[in-house]
């Protein structure tokens, strides 16, 4: 039986959802909600001509009774919309970030738990074949136990729009992808964060276009992040450039197809030559990016198994962003407490 789905928020990112959703056999797009009716009508005309259009979520939930709600609104609206949809009996998947505060995020996780519905977050960058290959190299034990992970993100992105004037633009709008990737690569949760953030000379943003952050993880590893959204020239990939050090070797990933590794060598020399590690073969994903993440969520429904980006786990990625911001603002190292989640 098809999932009766409704999308809330039909702005810039919504085609990345609507395109794959409209191609899925087990999805019926029954409604579209946006504060701006013409925006919702435009998306419906392109992707789901039969969908009912609403500007009011309560009316849409009451009249359509969807099984699934996809929330593509702005971060400050996520928690309220998602709690309302969960309480109306819907499973919900929302765009990153889960919420704009930890308190709001905890409310969403609690609502999913109390209603017995699934809530998950879009982390499309997990659904790329190369991050899965890199993760496999580490999970295989090829470099031993991870002790240190680094990510470099240097891109000169001239967006304009809301990002030009957003506070903490790099940490709040982009870094969650990289921090979530770090959790995936290390298979670990954050314990503390320290961060410095600034808006470099020449930046075309008004706040926080560059940051350097250090996280302690619960497996003892440290994760360091260096990022700039106003770095011209020598850009990294959007997935960042990575290095991981384990107690039995090291590996690098350029964020694209280039993965290399060396296991620890032996002998009595000062520097021991590493032994090349064959990178894992390509990982076949039937669907990638947004499509893959949505498919994983839909396939989890009714199985009793949480999707990979379930909010009770994904809240740890949000916690890294918000702790980094707090550290940058206070100059202190911030403890990250995920016990109560
Ligand atoms: N995963 C990714 O790679 C990726 C990329 C870009 C944006 N995003 C995320 O997607 C979300 C939306 O970003 P965007 O660029 O599409 O923003 P946008 O401003 O283009 O669109 C947001 C839409 O939501 C509507 N809206 C706002 N509040 C609403 C409410 N309470 N009820 C109904 N509709 C409401 C607005 O009218 C607007 O049409 C953000 O959370 C952003 O971080 C994710």
């Amino acid at each position: 039986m098809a999932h009766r789905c409704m999308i809330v928020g039909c702005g810039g990112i919504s085609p990345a959802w609507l395109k794959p959703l409209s191609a899925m056999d087990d999805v019926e797009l029954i409604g579209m909600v946006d504060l701006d009716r013409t925006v919702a009508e435009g998306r419906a005309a392109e992707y789901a001509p039969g969908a009912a259009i609403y500007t009011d979520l309560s009316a849409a939930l009451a009249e359509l009774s969807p099984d699934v709600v996809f929330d593509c609104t702005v971060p400050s609206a996520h928690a309220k919309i998602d709690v309302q949809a969960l309480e109306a009996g819907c499973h919900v998947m929302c765009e990153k970030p889960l919420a704009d505060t930890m308190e709001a995020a905890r409310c969403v996780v609690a609502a999913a738990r109390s209603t017995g519905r699934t809530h998950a977050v879009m982390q499309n960058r997990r659904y790329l074949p190369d991050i899965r290959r890199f993760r496999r190299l580490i999970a295989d034990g090829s470099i031993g136990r991870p002790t240190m992970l680094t990510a470099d993100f240097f891109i000169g992105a001239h967006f304009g729009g809301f990002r030009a004037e957003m506070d903490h633009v790099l940490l709040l709008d982009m870094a969650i992808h990289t921090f979530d990737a770090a959790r995936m690569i290390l298979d670990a949760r954050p314990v503390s964060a320290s961060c410095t953030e600034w808006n470099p000379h020449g930046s075309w943003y008004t706040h926080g276009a560059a940051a350097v952050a250090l996280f302690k993880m619960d497996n003892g590893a440290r994760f360091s992040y260096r990022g700039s959204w106003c770095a011209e020239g020598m850009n990294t990939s959007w997935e960042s450039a990575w290095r991981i050090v384990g107690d039995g070797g090291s590996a690098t990933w350029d964020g694209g197809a280039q993965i290399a590794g060396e296991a620890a060598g032996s002998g009595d020399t000062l520097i021991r030559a590493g032994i090349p590690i064959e990178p894992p073969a390509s990982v076949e994903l039937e669907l990638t990016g947004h499509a893959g993440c949505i498919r994983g969520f839909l396939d989890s429904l009714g199985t009793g198994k949480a999707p990979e980006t379930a909010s009770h786990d994904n809240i740890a990625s949000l916690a890294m962003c918000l702790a980094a911001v707090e550290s940058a603002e206070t100059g202190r190292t911030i403890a990250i407490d995920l016990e109560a989640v």
Side-chain angles (χ1 to χ4, degrees):
M1 218 171 67
H3 301 285
R4 301 178 72 255
C5 301
M6 189 166 87
I7 190 155
V8 188
C10 302
I13 198 62
S14 66
W17 293 66
L18 289 164
K19 199 169 171 206
L21 282 169
S22 58
M24 288 178 189
D25 290 341
D26 60 346
V27 166
E28 196 187 343
L29 280 165
I30 58 168
M32 303 221 178
V33 184
D34 199 290
L35 297 177
D36 183 340
R37 188 176 187 88
T38 56
V39 169
E41 283 171 347
R43 297 294 184 213
E46 192 170 356
Y47 296 102
I53 308 295
Y54 290 85
T55 54
D56 178 46
L57 176 64
S58 303
L61 289 169
E63 289 169 25
L64 297 181
S65 300
D67 310 320
V68 175
V69 165
F70 296 116
D71 178 0
C72 298
T73 63
V74 293
S76 58
H78 289 172
K80 191 164 173 237
I81 289 169
D82 295 5
V83 168
Q84 191 178 346
L86 288 164
E87 287 176 348
C90 308
H91 301 290
V92 181
M93 184 176 215
C94 82
E95 255 301 349
K96 63 82 186 164
L98 168 54
D100 60 346
T101 66
M102 283 302 283
E103 192 189 352
R106 284 178 204 275
C107 286
V108 177
V109 173
R113 196 162 285 145
S114 66
T115 57
R117 299 284 131 177
T118 298
H119 187 283
V121 179
M122 174 53 66
Q123 294 285 183
N124 42 307
R125 289 165 195 277
R126 281 184 176 237
Y127 287 81
L128 295 175
D130 292 316
I131 191 172
R132 304 241 163 199
R133 284 172 66 218
F134 192 52
R135 168 71 197 132
R136 186 173 290 175
L137 183 151
I138 294 142
D140 283 352
S142 309
I143 59 158
R145 189 177 148 183
T147 60
M148 185 174 182
L149 177 68
T150 70
D152 280 350
F153 175 90
F154 293 106
I155 290 196
H158 296 263
F159 294 106
F162 72 93
R163 291 182 182 88
E165 297 186 3
M166 182 179 170
D167 282 353
H168 309 291
V169 64
L170 179 68
L171 288 172
L172 291 183
D173 195 52
M174 181 64 211
I176 193 155
H177 287 297
T178 321
F179 296 172
D180 188 64
R183 287 203 311 114
M184 179 185 179
I185 290 164
L186 285 171
D187 192 20
R189 279 159 82 85
V191 173
S192 68
S194 50
C195 179
T196 180
E197 178 200 42
W198 70 108
N199 202 36
H201 176 68
S203 168
W204 50 92
Y205 298 81
T206 56
H207 193 265
V212 174
L214 177 65
F215 298 91
K216 190 172 167 186
M217 307 300 285
D218 65 358
N219 62 356
R222 303 297 192 271
F223 163 54
S224 87
Y225 167 83
R226 302 185 296 185
S228 171
W229 237 350
C230 58
E232 296 286 26
M234 301 300 292
N235 281 182
T236 61
S237 123
W238 281 87
E239 313 315 321
S240 302
W242 298 78
R243 173 180 288 263
I244 187 161
V245 182
D247 59 12
S250 296
T252 58
W253 172 40
D254 72 348
Q258 296 302 319
I259 293 177
E262 285 185 346
S266 56
D268 279 339
T269 51
L270 175 66
I271 307 289
R272 299 172 186 172
I275 302 160
I277 296 168
E278 185 68 29
S282 61
V283 173
E284 297 299 330
L285 290 179
E286 211 170 298
L287 293 171
T288 59
H290 274 75
C293 198
I294 292 169
R295 194 64 258 167
F297 165 75
L298 290 174
D299 288 346
S300 78
L301 300 180
T303 64
K305 206 170 158 241
E308 180 169 331
T309 62
S311 53
H312 62 78
D313 179 67
N314 189 261
I315 195 171
S317 300
L318 177 69
M320 290 172 80
C321 290
L322 296 179
V325 166
E326 189 180 344
S327 174
E329 284 180 342
T330 61
R332 291 189 289 111
T333 296
I334 305 300
I336 298 174
D337 177 16
L338 295 168
E339 280 305 303
V341 179

